[in-house]
Amino acid sequence: MRKIAFIHNSFPAGGAERITIDIANYVRDYGYETVVLAHKAKEDFGVEYPPLVEFPNDEPMHAESNTRFIIDYINSNGVDLLVIPGLSIPGIGQIRKNVSCKIVFALHCAPFWEGVSKLYVKKMKALKSSKSMLKWYLSTYPREKLLHKYEKSTYKHYLNVYNNCDAYVFLCDAYKQRFVEKLRLADESKLHVIHNSEHIPQTVNFDKRKEIIFVGRLTYEDKRVDRLLRIWKIASSQLPDWKLRIIGTGPERERLEAMSRRMELERVTFEGFHRDVKPFYDTASIICLTSTFEGWGLCLTEAQANGVVPIAFGCSAGVREIIKPDWVNGVVVPPFSIKRFASDLVSLASDGERLGRMQRSVAERVKEFSPEETGRKWVELFDRLLG
């Protein structure tokens, strides 16, 4: 059997790790043995996953000793393919020089997302004083919009990864084209597009309640749930029978709860972290996503699979790809208009007949992202690389 090794920082954990499990479980039937090399092994989430090999020391992921461990494992265990799912591997050039296996890099985010993240981390720090916020709006943000300094600082890293892999995989075609344009690539032969997979439940509950949900980690630089609270402040008075449930936790939770109290919001609950979110999907009618940036937004496809209609800021090509066509498989709101989002949310929630049609439509749409559909594309790529 041909052997594939996946590298993760911690495993099992979040979305990228779930996609690795889907790929590994699928390709086993096509003559591939799989293993995961993890810097940190996490608790078992009750899912079937490949054999797990933990790095032998606690040094940082990018330490020379860990790069050496990866090289030695590949060479000692006859690994044919190394898959790096969106993880920053500073030693990828050294790995490339010292192994004979093929290397696949799978970008699980939008290209150059780190630049946007750095910018909004800076904004989060600026919130601490009016002077800092003034500098943000008058200097930092306008300068970034004009010069793209933060984004450009990532180009060298992306080019290094591209040069040291045999295949580079994107979540949608628009990400691939942006990558080609920004890095001025003449050759696209190693670039591929494969959507993330989504599990299709055996049954979908369409007997929904008047519930709107958010599912995800409560962080400022990307998720921006504070926007959702402002949206609910506008929309809630027009939706007196509806409630908003926020599922997840993170560093923003305390601030968001205080914000909700200060704004005197009604019918908002913070549900905290839940390993199994399906009970929330079973009863919810609508899911909201108000992120500044998203690669693919697995919560959107999870919701669609369970007949929950997504409404989201069109912050990325990945979000727009999941939801298209607009007002059929969800609603895309121009970034980042709070009033427009609130208006569209009220329109969606107030039209029960249209909402019911969309709930059934999204449950069909998401079948295009099933593990079988995406798995087949991964097998084709692996077979092509190995001849």
Side-chain angles (χ1 to χ4, degrees), residues 5-13 17 35-42 49-59 61 66 69-70 73 87:
F6 298 83
I7 296 183
H8 283 275
N9 186 27
S10 57
F11 194 94
E17 292 74 27
V35 65
V36 173
L37 309 182
H39 185 230
K40 298 291 182 183
K42 307 291 280 188
Y49 55 81
L52 186 59
V53 177
E54 191 171 12
F55 285 28
N57 61 67
D58 291 329
E59 293 185 36
M61 180 75 181
N66 285 326
F69 165 73
I70 294 169
Y73 185 90
L87 188 65

Side-chain angles (χ1 to χ4, degrees), residues 89-356:
I89 304 287
I92 189 171
Q94 185 179 348
I95 294 170
R96 178 71 178 186
K97 291 176 183 177
N98 290 277
V99 301
S100 59
C101 72
K102 300 293 185 181
I103 298 177
V104 178
F105 185 86
L107 184 64
H108 279 283
C109 303
F112 321 119
W113 69 271
E114 299 93 336
V116 181
S117 179
K118 287 178 185 176
L119 181 65
Y120 280 88
V121 166
K122 208 171 186 69
K123 182 182 179 182
M124 182 61 189
K125 294 177 180 178
L127 291 173
K128 296 177 181 179
S129 74
S130 55
K131 182 179 179 181
S132 297
M133 281 304 296
L134 188 64
K135 181 181 178 183
W136 160 265
Y137 282 112
L138 296 181
S139 175
T140 306
Y141 185 68
R143 187 171 66 248
E144 169 59 20
K145 293 295 285 186
L146 180 65
L147 302 176
H148 301 284
K149 179 184 69 172
Y150 292 98
E151 178 182 295
K152 289 177 180 177
S153 69
T154 69
Y155 290 175
K156 184 178 180 181
H157 165 70
Y158 276 82
L159 196 57
N160 178 54
V161 173
Y162 168 81
N163 288 332
N164 284 289
C165 68
D166 299 283
Y168 200 111
V169 180
F170 300 88
L171 292 169
C172 64
D173 191 65
Y175 289 162
K176 171 186 166 184
Q177 296 308 319
R178 185 158 185 258
F179 188 84
V180 170
E181 175 191 340
K182 295 297 183 180
L183 298 187
R184 300 178 181 179
L185 302 179
D187 181 11
E188 300 181 26
S189 60
K190 67 167 71 172
L191 306 183
H192 306 268
V193 175
I194 304 177
H195 298 317
N196 275 344
S197 57
E198 185 55 62
H199 291 270
I200 311 302
Q202 291 183 340
T203 59
V204 179
N205 177 38
F206 291 109
D207 185 18
K208 302 291 189 181
R209 301 172 188 167
K210 292 184 177 181
E211 292 179 357
I212 299 163
I213 60 173
F214 165 87
V215 178
R217 184 163 168 77
L218 304 182
T219 48
Y220 180 83
E221 62 271 18
D222 51 354
K223 300 302 182 183
R224 292 301 303 272
V225 180
D226 59 302
R227 289 175 179 148
L228 181 55
L229 297 183
R230 294 188 182 95
I231 289 163
W232 186 242
K233 179 68 174 179
I234 299 170
S236 59
S237 62
Q238 302 174 68
L239 301 172
D241 299 329
W242 288 74
K243 63 181 178 180
L244 172 63
R245 306 178 76 181
I246 297 172
I247 300 108
T249 192
E252 277 279 276
R253 179 170 179 174
E254 186 177 335
R255 189 178 80 89
L256 292 169
E257 288 183 328
M259 180 179 175
S260 178
R261 292 191 296 270
R262 187 172 64 252
M263 296 173 71
E264 299 181 337
L265 298 180
E266 298 180 348
R267 291 166 278 117
V268 179
T269 56
F270 288 81
E271 306 287 348
F273 171 77
H274 287 260
R275 181 178 299 173
D276 181 13
V277 294
K278 191 171 189 333
F280 294 99
Y281 288 135
D282 283 342
T283 60
S285 295
I286 299 169
I287 186 170
C288 293
L289 194 64
T290 51
S291 302
T292 297
F293 60 91
E294 286 283 343
W296 187 249
L298 284 172
C299 66
L300 298 179
T301 56
E302 285 177 352
Q304 287 178 323
N306 288 281
V308 183
V309 177
I311 175 170
F313 282 128
C315 62
S316 72
V319 169
R320 296 190 294 273
E321 178 78 14
I322 291 169
I323 292 179
K324 73 178 185 183
D326 196 13
W327 285 98
V328 174
N329 292 313
V331 180
V332 178
V333 182
F336 292 99
S337 172
I338 301 295
K339 290 182 179 179
R340 174 66 180 274
F341 199 115
S343 174
D344 285 350
L345 177 59
V346 170
S347 296
L348 178 62
S350 300
D351 190 338
E353 183 178 342
R354 177 169 60 181
L355 183 58

